[in-house]
Structures are given as structure tokens and as C-alpha cells.
Amino acid sequence: WPAVVHIVCGTAFNLIAPLQFAALIRQRYRVWHRWSGRVLIICALGAAASSLWMNHFYPAFGGTMKYLGIVAHNVVLVGSIAMSVQAILKRDVLRHRAWRWRQC
């Protein structure tokens, strides 16, 4: 199940993210931008959680450096999403934009 969650969430994230960050779509279709952002948050958290689960329970592939690299990547991913969400909830669009670009 973790592999299926990771593949589904990762695929959805990679298909929706370019549309989320396209300036033309973001400006003209604000509802799309808001809802796709929510979907991207769920997909990113699902992919991160499944990645950490697989990394912990299947550690034989790759060794210690791979293990620590995946943990670090997920910490940065979840942290940047949290900072982006926090900024937009406070209606600080400039800070929101700064954090979303760090996710790419």
C-alpha cells in the first residue's frame, strides 16, 4: 500500500503542480488555484508519509546516506509546505510565493 499511495500521490502532484504555478492560470482562475493547491498539499503529504514509511521499513536498499537523504528531503518538503500554508492563511502573499518556489 505505501508504494501505491506514493505512486498515486506523486503522479497527481507532478501533473497538477505545473498548472498550479502557471501565472496565466493562477491569475485568471483563482478558484482553480485554491483547490489545486489544497489537492497538492494532500498529495505532497501522502507522498512524503509513504516515502518515510518505505524508507524506514525497507532500509536495505541504498544504505545510510540514502536513508538520511530521504528523511532530509521530506523534512524540507513538509516544512516548506507548512510555511507556505501558514503565510497564505495570514494573507501574506509575498511570503507565500517565496515558500512555494522553494518546493520546486
Side-chain angles (χ1 to χ4, degrees):
W1 281 108
V4 172
V5 170
H6 190 74
I7 291 168
V8 170
C9 289
T11 301
F13 186 90
N14 287 319
L15 290 173
I16 296 171
L19 301 174
Q20 175 73 2
F21 297 133
L24 181 65
I25 294 173
R26 188 175 60 246
Q27 292 166 357
R28 287 190 184 174
Y29 306 104
R30 291 190 188 275
V31 173
W32 161 261
H33 182 71
R34 287 181 182 177
W35 283 101
S36 64
R38 292 172 180 146
V39 170
L40 283 175
I41 291 168
I42 293 167
C43 289
L45 294 177
S50 61
S51 172
L52 289 171
W53 191 93
M54 290 187 293
N55 195 40
H56 183 72
F57 289 104
Y58 307 136
F61 304 103
T64 304
M65 294 308 288
K66 187 257 336 175
Y67 186 89
L68 295 175
I70 289 175
V71 170
H73 171 73
N74 284 299
V75 166
V76 171
L77 174 68
V78 172
S80 66
I81 288 172
M83 297 298 282
S84 179
V85 169
Q86 181 183 30
I88 203 62
L89 290 175
K90 291 181 178 180
R91 303 203 186 275
D92 187 351
V93 176
L94 293 176
R95 195 165 56 116
H96 172 70
R97 286 182 182 162
W99 281 107
R100 74 179 165 100
W101 286 115
R102 286 179 177 83
Q103 295 172 15
C104 296

